[in-house]
Structures are given as structure tokens and as C-alpha cells.
């Protein structure tokens, strides 16, 4: 058993190392020996930038908001939490730089928390830019976790691994019952019962719109009351922030661990940094730090060339400053420990679970959200601290991102969630009532991915934009000559004619709807595609059309991958692929399409070439579904839209 267990984990560790090298190779490919313009096109540089504002935010950290001096539509990787380098350029060489972390990036603006106490003197020279940095820390922490697992010293973690892989039988306490929650439906209540009874591993399987987060938060609430403290983790900062907000609304004592730049503004007061400043003893800590600085300032006034008395005075002042530093560190450690000890729920990302403040802590229960998007090595960072674990997620939606194809095929993209779903079906509970989509929008995914077990709640079952607008539409571009093209630099695909038709159809829809319906409070809109080049093209067409100016704040144009976890009243989906050989590329990843097809509440419009996609059994089934719904239309019916 031990040899079998360790052989697989060692293989995962080797695959992780290969992925790290591939990730680094791709990063260097995009960064090295490239002009500024090439790096911008490849999404690793923003330049030139203008400083909009700067201020000291949470924890007295220096923050700066930047705006693009020249607007573009290049896709990029500047997501919340990514490490970056803020630089001043000359002749396209970066002369000066400061590291930082992205708070957010949207459209042509970016907020960064700088790793500095004051703005650099070169900030007024102009020629400012930001580069992505390679994220080495995540790989390092995942490798450390696998090394600990392989050491054999973490006995409970090894038992959980054996249970996950079917070598040990999971245990359940049949006598335990969950507290009834009137606002939960039957399958959600069953999930709470599973959480109450499992002693080892439990899974909450939440398809789109089924209230996974609501159920998970209720489970966290009940367990936290019983066990004093739980650890809640997820792979993304966005998921952790959402759970922090929801747990706080349940009046739980929550602490969010993580760099403030990686945290949304609405939950800053729940971060560890802010909770420390709110502690009753923080005033004493601040006084100690101020006193230490005063002594150091006095000591530095003495020159080494002074006499013996002055040198002795200098020594005594530095000695006193060192003593105050020791006292301050001790008090700060006490405050940190006190804040964490009293927290009912500690939340962080999977990698954030390696935080020094958590290294010696163990938890009876660890909750892992978005587990079907979590690399197994990242999960073990948290699982090493767990007596039992509750996973939540959906393995029929997007898997974790793995850049090296061979590593993904060899098993790195196969998650613990999937493994447990396959080997321990008795440890999972499927949520079956969905509260998002019109029934016709839901039916295809329910049948293909969830054995027709999903039911649309009565509140959404028949809702639509208007009585005149059916909830689903497929516009077939077959025979139109709307052929795909490939970006020679990135390899991403686009289809200009399909994009133009989609935007023309969207404009016609907006004109049909009453103006008062198109506002942030009554209507939300998403335009998505699996290809970044098509997303860029759609954004350009949207910006060029003055008609859309008044609704630009209600429309989000993103890749499908960026849209997981989101929903809109209206979704337009561009499939892009159109060629004579039926090549569909990563449209073959049906889980990505499951995400794309399940974002819409009331209206889903899909544009694609049936001649290209129809030879694939998944898309053939989808085309039959839209035909059965009387939702099939030929692009030729909308030719006038392009005039």
C-alpha cells in the first residue's frame, strides 16, 4: 500500500516539476528578446501607463492606480494576485523597477500594491509600464507539500490519500444529523447531512446554478459552531473573497489571510492585517514601534569619529532600539495568535494555506471550494492540516489549467475531486435543483453531463426576456463562407464575419427591448468565446459601435474560462471554428462548453458553423437539442443585419 501510494505521488511531483519548467519556458518566450509592442501583444506588458492616483491602503501599504496611455484590446494575464514589476523605460529597456502585486485590472486600468514605502523618484519621468513576473512561489509550496506527504510523517494525510484512492474505506457517523435549514432544498439538506456524518472525506457536487455556495456556507456555519474553528480554502482569490463575505454575513468571526492586494475592497476589514490593527493591544504595539524608530533616529546622529562617550551613547541607543524591536515582535506575535485563535473561520487560497501564521495549526475540518479546479498538489498544502475534508465543486466544468499537454494527459489535470467522485461515489451528494436558467437552457447540459437529474426551480423554469423572445437560439453560419483565421503570434483563432453578425444581432436585440429594461438593475449581458483572439475582436467591434455607448457598463466581454462562476440574463456565445475539415480544436473540451452554455438566465444565443462542429457527437447532440426547441436559425436569415 505504501509503495503504491508513494509511487503515484512521486509521479505527480515529477509532472509538477515539468509543468513548472513549461510555465517558465512560456513566460521567458513571451518576455525575452521581445520588443515592447510584442510583449504587449502577448499579454505580459502594459505600456505606456499614466498614474491616476496613489495612496496608502490597508496595512499602510502603498497603492497606485495606473491607466493605459494608449488604449488597446490585447488579452493579458494581469489578474488579481499576480506578481508584477512596475518600471520606467528608456529605449525600451527597463532602467528602474519596483515589484508589486495586482489588486485588479479592468479595461484600461490597473491597481497595484507596491512593495515599497514611498513612490520612486523616477515616477514623474514618464515611460511607465508593468510587466508580469513569473510566479515561482506557488510551485515551491506545492512541491514542499508533496515532499511532506512522501515523507510519511503526516499519518492522517496518508490515511486520507488511501481513502481517496480506494485503499481504505471511508467512515460515516450514522447517528449524527444535520440541523434543518428551512431555506435549503432537499438535495442541499442532504449535503448538510453528508457533512455532518462524514469522518474522512465528503463531496458536495454542485452543477451550475444549484446553490453550491449557499450550501457550502451553511455547512461551514454549522461545523464552525460545533468545532470552534475551521479552515476554508479555494484555488482562486475571488472564490475565497466570496466565501469570506458570505460567512461574515452569517455573523461568524472570520479572518481572511492573504496579501491585501489579492483581496476585494468589501472584505478588507476581515483580513488578518486589518484585524490586527483593530486589536485592543495594537495601540501598545504602535507605540513600541514608534519608540524604536525614535531611538534609532537618535543613534544615527552620532558619528563614528566621535569620542568614547558618544560611541557608548550610540551603542546604548541601538541596544535599546533592539530591545524595543524584540518586545514589538513578541507583542505582534501575541496579537496575531490571539486574532487567529478567536476566529471561527480562517479563509485563504490553497497556496495561502502555507502562510507562516498557519504552519503549526491543525484543523478538524478543512473545506475546499472549487475543488474540481484545484491541482492535487495545491490541495495537499491544506490537507496536511486536516483531520477530515469536505470538497465542493463540479468536475463537469472547467478543470485546473495545465500548460504542458503531456503533463495534463499523464494525470496532472486529474483532480482529487474527480478521483473521489470516481472511486467513492457514496461520499458525494449531488445538488439537483438549479435556480439560474430557463428550463430549455438547462436541459442540454442536464442530459449530457448530469444524467437528466437537474430540475429548474419554479422561479426560473419559464422566465425569459419577453414573451416574444424564446430562451435559446442557435445561428448557423454553415455555407456562408465565414471562415476562421489564426493569429500567427499566439495561435488563437478568430472569425471576423461571425463576430460581426453576432454584434449586429445583439444590436438588433437591444433595439427591440424597451430602453428601461437595459440597465444594470434589470438586465445583465455577457458576450463570450472560447478563443481570446475572438474576444479581442468582439471587444473592438463593441467599442467601435457608438450605439452601445450607453450600455457599456452592463456588458461583459470575456473568454469562457474567465466567465466560470458568473451568470448573466443574456449570453451571446461565439464558437469561431469554421473550416472544411471539421477541425474544432479545444472546442473538444466539452467541460468548457458546459460553462459557456450555462451562464445565461433568460436568453442564450450561440453562433457557430454546424458543418464544422456537427461531426462531433457532443455538438451533434447540441444541434439536435436546439432543433427540438425550434431554436435553429440560418445566418442567411440575418444577412440584412450586416448591410
Amino acid at each position: 500500500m505504501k509503495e503504491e501510494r508513494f509511487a503515484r505521488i512521486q509521479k505527480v511531483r515529477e509532472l509538477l516539476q515539468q509543468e513548472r519548467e513549461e510555465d517558465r519556458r512560456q513566460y521567458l518566450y513571451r518576455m525575452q528578446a521581445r520588443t515592447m509592442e510584442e510583449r504587449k501583444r502577448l499579454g505580459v506588458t502594459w505600456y505606456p501607463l499614466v498614474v491616476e492616483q496613489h495612496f496608502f491602503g490597508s496595512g499602510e501599504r502603498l497603492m497606485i492606480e495606473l491607466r493605459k496611455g494608449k488604449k488597446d484590446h490585447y488579452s493579458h494575464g494581469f489578474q488579481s494576485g499576480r506578481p508584477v514589476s512596475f518600471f520606467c523605460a528608456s529605449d525600451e529597456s527597463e532602467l528602474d523597477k519596483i515589484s508589486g502585486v495586482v489588486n485588479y485590472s479592468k479595461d484600461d486600468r490597473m491597481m497595484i500594491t507596491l512593495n515599497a514605502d514611498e513612490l520612486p523618484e523616477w515616477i514623474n519621468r514618464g515611460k511607465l509600464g508593468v510587466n508580469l513576473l513569473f510566479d515561482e512561489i506557488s510551485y515551491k509550496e506545492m512541491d514542499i507539500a508533496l515532499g511532506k506527504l512522501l515523507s510519511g510523517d503526516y499519518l492522517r494525510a496518508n490515511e486520507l490519500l488511501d481513502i481517496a484512492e480506494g485503499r481504505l474505506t471511508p467512515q460515516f457517523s450514522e447517528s449524527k444529523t444535520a440541523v434543518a435549514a428551512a431555506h435549503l432544498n432537499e438535495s442541499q439538506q442532504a449535503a448538510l447531512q453528508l457533512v455532518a456524518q462524514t469522518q474522512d472525506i465528503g463531496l458536495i457536487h454542485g452543477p451550475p446554478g444549484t446553490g453550491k455556495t449557499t450550501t457550502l456556507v451553511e455547512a461551514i456555519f454549522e461545523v464552525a459552531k460545533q468545532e470552534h474553528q475551521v479552515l476554508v480554502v479555494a484555488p482562486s482569490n475571488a472564490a475565497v473573497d466570496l466565501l469570506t463575505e458570505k460567512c461574515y454575513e452569517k455573523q461568524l468571526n472570520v479572518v481572511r489571510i492573504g496579501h491585501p492586494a489579492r483581496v476585494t475592497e468589501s472584505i478588507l476589514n476581515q483580513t488578518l492585517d486589518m484585524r490586527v490593527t483593530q486589536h485592543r493591544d495594537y495601540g501598545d504595539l504602535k507605540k513600541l514601534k514608534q519608540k524604536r524608530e525614535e531611538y534609532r533616529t537618535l543613534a544615527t546622529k552620532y558619528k563614528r569619529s566621535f569620542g568614547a562617550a558618544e560611541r557608548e551613547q550610540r551603542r546604548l541607543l541601538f541596544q535599546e532600539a533592539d530591545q524595543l524591536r524584540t518586545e514589538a515582535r513578541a507583542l505582534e506575535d501575541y496579537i496575531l495568535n490571539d486574532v487567529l485563535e478567536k476566529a471561527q473561520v480562517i479563509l485563504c487560497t490553497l497556496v495561502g494555506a502555507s502562510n507562516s501564521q498557519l504552519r503549526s495549526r491543525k484543523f478538524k475540518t478543512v473545506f475546499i471550494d472549487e475543488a474540481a479546479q484545484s491541482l492535487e498538489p495545491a490541495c495537499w498544502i491544506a490537507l496536511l492540516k486536516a483531520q477530515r475534508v469536505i470538497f465542493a465543486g463540479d468536475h463537469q466544468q472547467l478543470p485546473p489549467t495545465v500548460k504542458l499537454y503531456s503533463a495534463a494527459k499523464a494525470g496532472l489535470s486529474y483532480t482529487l475531486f474527480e478521483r473521489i467522485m470516481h472511486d467513492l461515489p457514496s461520499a458525494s451528494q449531488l445538488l439537483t435543483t438549479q435556480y439560474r436558467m430557463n428550463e430549455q437552457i438547462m436541459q442540454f447540459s442536464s442530459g449530457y453531463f448530469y444524467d437528466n437529474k437537474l430540475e429548474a426551480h419554479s422561479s426560473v423554469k419559464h422566465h425569459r426576456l419577453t414573451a416574444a423572445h424564446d430562451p435559446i437560439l442557435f445561428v448557423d453560419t454553415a455555407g456562408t463562407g465565414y471562415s476562421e483565421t489564426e493569429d500567427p503570434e499566439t495561435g488563437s483563432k478568430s472569425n471576423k464575419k461571425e463576430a460581426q453578425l453576432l454584434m449586429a444581432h445583439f444590436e438588433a436585440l437591444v433595439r427591440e427591448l424597451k430602453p428601461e429594461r437595459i440597465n444594470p438593475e434589470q438586465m445583465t449581458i455577457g458576450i463570450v468565446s472560447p478563443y481570446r483572439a475572438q474576444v479581442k475582436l468582439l471587444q473592438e467591434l463593441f467599442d467601435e459601435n457608438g450605439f452601445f455607448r450607453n450600455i457599456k457598463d452592463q456588458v461583459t466581454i470575456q473568454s469562457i474560462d474567465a466567465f466560470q462562476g458568473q451568470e448573466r440574463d443574456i449570453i451571446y456565445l461565439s464558437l469561431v471554428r469554421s473550416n472544411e475539415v471539421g477541425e474544432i480544436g479545444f472546442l473538444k473540451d466539452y467541460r468548457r462548453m458546459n460553462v459557456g452554455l450555462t451562464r445565461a438566465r433568460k436568453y442564450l444565443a450561440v453562433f457557430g458553423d454546424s458543418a464544422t462542429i456537427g461531426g462531433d457527437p457532443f455538438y451533434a447532440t447540441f444541434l439536435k437539442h436546439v432543433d427540438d426547441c425550434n431554436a435553429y436559425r440560418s445566418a442567411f436569415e440575418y444577412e440584412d443585419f450586416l448591410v
Side-chain angles (χ1 to χ4, degrees):
M1 181 185 295
K2 182 177 179 181
E3 291 75 15
E4 181 182 351
R5 174 207 307 150
F6 283 7
R8 192 185 72 78
I9 295 300
Q10 183 58 47
K11 177 64 174 177
V12 170
R13 195 179 191 186
E14 293 169 0
L15 293 174
L16 182 66
Q17 179 61 27
Q18 294 172 23
E19 172 69 4
R20 171 163 45 185
E21 292 307 314
E22 174 62 16
D23 197 0
R24 183 186 288 110
R25 185 196 67 77
Q26 291 187 19
Y27 171 79
L28 293 176
Y29 168 78
R30 296 192 297 269
M31 289 298 297
Q32 291 185 337
R34 297 276 182 178
T35 65
M36 198 79 76
E37 189 62 30
E38 287 173 333
R39 299 204 318 257
K40 287 164 60 179
R41 280 176 52 79
L42 292 170
V44 292
T45 296
W46 275 26
Y47 180 89
L49 296 174
V50 176
V51 177
E52 287 285 280
Q53 61 172 325
H54 59 85
F55 56 92
F56 286 94
S58 166
E60 293 301 302
R61 296 175 187 262
L62 180 58
M63 303 178 71
I64 185 168
E65 184 180 20
L66 302 164
R67 174 176 54 81
K68 287 182 180 179
K70 297 178 181 178
K71 194 167 184 179
D72 61 56
H73 297 294
Y74 298 138
S75 59
H76 60 82
F78 289 93
Q79 300 162 341
S80 172
R82 288 296 302 267
V84 294
S85 173
F86 176 47
F87 66 83
C88 177
S90 177
D91 299 326
E92 298 197 348
S93 298
E94 294 137 40
L95 296 177
D96 302 283
K97 61 185 74 174
I98 294 177
S99 64
V101 178
V102 176
N103 290 68
Y104 71 82
S105 63
K106 184 177 180 181
D107 299 329
D108 62 343
R109 293 176 186 269
M110 183 188 302
M111 181 78 79
I112 298 173
T113 296
L114 296 177
N115 297 326
D117 296 326
E118 59 185 24
L119 291 174
E121 55 84 18
W122 42 261
I123 197 165
N124 294 317
R125 294 184 201 160
K127 296 187 177 181
L128 303 176
V130 176
N131 283 331
L132 274 179
L133 294 177
F134 182 69
D135 185 8
E136 187 71 51
I137 295 175
S138 297
Y139 287 109
K140 178 182 177 182
E141 295 299 342
M142 286 189 285
D143 183 71
I144 289 172
L146 293 180
K148 289 178 178 178
L149 190 61
L150 287 168
S151 72
D153 295 336
Y154 292 75
L155 300 181
R156 182 53 179 162
N158 289 149
E159 288 176 350
L160 291 174
L161 178 58
D162 286 334
I163 292 168
E165 296 184 338
R167 291 186 291 272
L168 290 178
T169 303
Q171 300 299 307
F172 298 90
S173 300
E174 300 294 339
S175 60
K176 289 189 176 182
T177 57
V179 177
H183 63 288
L184 298 186
N185 63 45
E186 185 177 342
S187 65
Q188 291 171 333
Q189 191 65 45
L192 288 194
Q193 185 71 8
L194 176 72
V195 172
Q197 294 183 342
T198 186
Q199 297 183 36
D200 306 298
I201 294 173
L203 281 81
I204 300 174
H205 181 193
T210 54
K212 172 182 66 69
T213 299
T214 299
T215 308
L216 183 60
V217 169
E218 192 65 35
I220 293 168
F221 177 73
E222 294 298 335
V223 174
K225 288 195 301 183
Q226 298 167 18
E227 298 180 3
H228 169 63
Q229 188 173 88
V230 298
L231 177 65
V232 179
V233 295
S236 71
N237 284 291
V240 178
D241 288 348
L242 176 62
L243 289 170
T244 301
E245 187 174 339
K246 296 299 182 183
C247 288
Y248 181 72
E249 289 173 359
K250 296 281 286 184
Q251 298 185 324
L252 289 167
N253 184 344
V254 302
V255 173
R256 166 67 156 103
I257 291 180
H259 194 298
R262 297 180 168 97
V263 174
T264 56
E265 187 174 350
S266 62
I267 58 139
L268 275 176
N269 283 334
Q270 278 67 60
T271 61
L272 182 58
D273 283 35
M274 290 299 289
R275 294 294 301 277
V276 166
T277 66
Q278 297 161 2
H279 193 273
R280 63 181 181 276
D281 293 328
Y282 181 72
D284 293 336
L285 175 61
K286 198 170 183 179
K287 288 176 184 177
L288 282 172
K289 289 183 175 181
Q290 289 172 343
K291 197 69 175 175
R292 173 180 176 260
E293 287 305 311
E294 289 173 8
Y295 277 109
R296 285 186 59 82
T297 300
L298 286 171
T300 55
K301 291 180 179 178
Y302 288 93
K303 307 295 183 183
R304 294 182 183 276
S305 59
F306 282 13
E310 287 81 4
R311 285 196 297 273
E312 176 62 13
Q313 185 65 21
R314 175 190 172 94
R315 186 188 69 79
L316 290 173
L317 287 169
F318 273 126
Q319 181 176 304
E320 186 65 27
D322 288 343
Q323 178 60 35
L324 288 168
R325 180 177 61 181
T326 300
E327 292 178 23
R329 283 180 175 174
L331 180 56
E332 188 167 27
D333 287 344
Y334 163 75
I335 293 174
L336 285 166
N337 187 66
D338 192 45
V339 169
L340 289 173
E341 193 61 35
K342 292 176 180 176
Q344 292 174 283
V345 186
I346 297 175
L347 303 102
C348 60
T349 62
L350 286 164
V351 173
S354 64
N355 186 285
S356 60
Q357 300 300 327
L358 297 181
R359 279 180 187 154
S360 61
R361 289 184 176 270
K362 300 290 184 181
F363 300 87
K364 183 175 180 181
T365 303
V366 169
F367 290 89
I368 301 181
D369 193 17
E370 291 188 344
Q373 288 183 270
S374 306
L375 285 174
E376 179 178 355
C379 289
W380 286 111
I381 299 173
L383 290 178
L384 291 170
K385 307 175 187 301
Q387 180 66 25
R388 68 170 187 153
V389 59
I390 305 298
F391 294 96
D394 180 16
H395 61 298
Q396 300 293 3
Q397 296 187 62
L398 284 169
T401 300
V402 176
K403 293 182 171 64
L404 184 61
Y405 179 76
S406 61
K409 292 294 288 184
L412 187 59
S413 64
Y414 192 58
T415 64
L416 273 175
F417 189 95
E418 289 179 274
R419 186 177 298 279
I420 297 163
M421 282 291 298
H422 183 268
D423 294 340
L424 298 174
S426 62
S428 69
Q429 172 62 45
L430 175 69
L431 306 182
T432 56
T433 303
Q434 69 86 14
Y435 298 84
R436 175 186 299 166
M437 295 164 275
N438 178 287
E439 186 176 42
Q440 285 188 14
I441 299 174
M442 175 202 74
Q443 282 173 339
F444 172 71
S445 286
S446 177
Y448 198 93
F449 295 101
Y450 306 108
D451 299 323
N452 281 315
K453 291 181 179 178
L454 298 189
E455 296 180 0
H457 189 262
S458 58
S459 63
V460 302
K461 188 173 184 178
H462 300 297
H463 69 176
R464 54 178 64 195
L465 289 179
T466 70
H469 291 87
D470 292 332
I472 187 169
L473 169 72
F474 177 76
V475 178
D476 187 4
T477 64
T480 60
Y482 294 0
S483 298
E484 67 190 54
T485 58
E486 179 176 306
D487 186 316
E489 187 73 49
T490 66
S492 185
K493 302 290 193 298
S494 64
N495 189 319
K496 187 173 183 178
K497 280 290 188 180
E498 180 177 292
Q500 290 173 332
L501 181 63
L502 183 152
M503 296 306 294
H505 187 281
F506 173 50
E507 179 181 343
L509 177 70
V510 174
R511 291 184 184 277
E512 280 183 53
L513 297 172
K514 293 180 180 180
E516 62 267 23
R517 294 182 63 84
I518 302 296
N519 64 61
E521 296 178 356
Q522 294 184 344
M523 195 68 64
T524 57
I525 303 157
I527 301 175
V528 299
S529 176
Y531 290 95
R532 286 189 174 184
Q534 187 76 344
V535 171
K536 176 176 176 287
L537 178 57
L538 289 164
Q539 184 69 62
E540 289 173 349
L541 292 172
F542 181 83
D543 290 343
E544 290 168 2
N545 190 334
F547 173 76
F548 295 131
R549 189 173 297 115
N550 292 332
I551 63 167
K552 65 183 182 66
D553 293 335
Q554 292 109 272
V555 180
T556 305
I557 303 177
Q558 288 180 330
S559 67
I560 291 177
D561 294 45
F563 229 87
Q564 178 149 312
Q566 301 186 54
E567 59 185 57
R568 297 291 188 272
D569 291 307
I570 298 170
I571 288 289
Y572 273 78
L573 170 58
S574 173
L575 298 182
V576 177
R577 301 310 298 262
S578 180
N579 54 70
E580 295 179 356
V581 294
E583 174 59 48
I584 64 172
F586 65 61
L587 290 189
K588 273 280 190 184
D589 189 340
Y590 306 144
R591 291 179 295 183
R592 175 176 283 107
M593 294 312 303
N594 187 31
V595 173
L597 295 170
T598 55
R599 301 304 96 193
R601 300 188 190 109
K602 301 177 181 180
Y603 185 79
L604 170 67
V606 182
F607 286 67
D609 182 347
S610 66
T612 298
I613 66 175
D616 180 272
F618 172 85
Y619 293 98
T621 305
F622 173 72
L623 291 171
K624 182 180 186 305
H625 172 67
V626 296
D627 196 45
D628 291 344
C629 294
N630 195 31
Y632 175 91
R633 299 290 184 274
S634 170
F636 290 110
E637 297 179 46
Y638 302 106
E639 278 190 320
D640 291 346
F641 286 25
L642 295 177
V643 177

